[in-house]
Amino acid sequence: MVEQVELNRLFWHSRRGMLELDVLLVPFVQEVYATLNQVDRDLYVRLLTCEDQDMFGWFMERSESEDPELQRMVRMILDRVQPK
């Protein structure tokens, strides 16, 4: 179970100040994070340590992370909002 303190902290870390990132990350942490397994939770936290410009490129699908695990998390977040 994810504690509310952890969710609150991640909510604020997910607010990047760049609208394109905020509309992807904030709902993800609010609606999905608590359902992730511990490996994916740790991966999401690691994603938040990346530079905004790098994440912007990944989420806009202009580039991909060199780390396949980070790219998997990006894809997981994108799959929530993109129709199949």
Side-chain angles (χ1 to χ4, degrees):
M1 186 167 140
V2 179
E3 293 185 21
Q4 190 61 45
V5 172
E6 180 181 2
L7 287 173
N8 289 343
R9 181 180 57 80
L10 288 171
F11 171 84
W12 290 108
H13 285 272
S14 296
R15 294 198 60 202
R16 308 301 284 203
M18 185 181 289
L19 181 62
E20 294 86 352
L21 296 178
D22 290 353
V23 299
L24 293 170
L25 298 176
V26 171
F28 185 83
V29 81
Q30 290 175 321
E31 300 166 11
V32 178
Y33 180 83
T35 68
L36 298 175
N37 62 42
Q38 191 59 51
V39 170
D40 286 342
R41 287 180 189 166
D42 293 343
L43 187 57
Y44 182 78
V45 170
R46 191 158 57 101
L47 177 69
L48 294 180
T49 66
C50 296
E51 295 291 327
D52 289 357
Q53 291 302 323
D54 291 335
M55 286 196 293
F56 180 80
W58 302 338
F59 284 115
M60 298 302 117
E61 301 182 290
R62 295 180 182 160
S63 63
E64 289 189 359
S65 172
E66 293 179 8
D67 181 329
E69 287 299 302
L70 284 177
Q71 190 58 41
R72 184 176 67 80
M73 178 56 64
V74 167
R75 188 78 257 153
M76 188 183 307
I77 293 168
L78 286 175
D79 285 347
R80 286 190 66 248
V81 296
Q82 292 177 335
K84 299 265 180 192

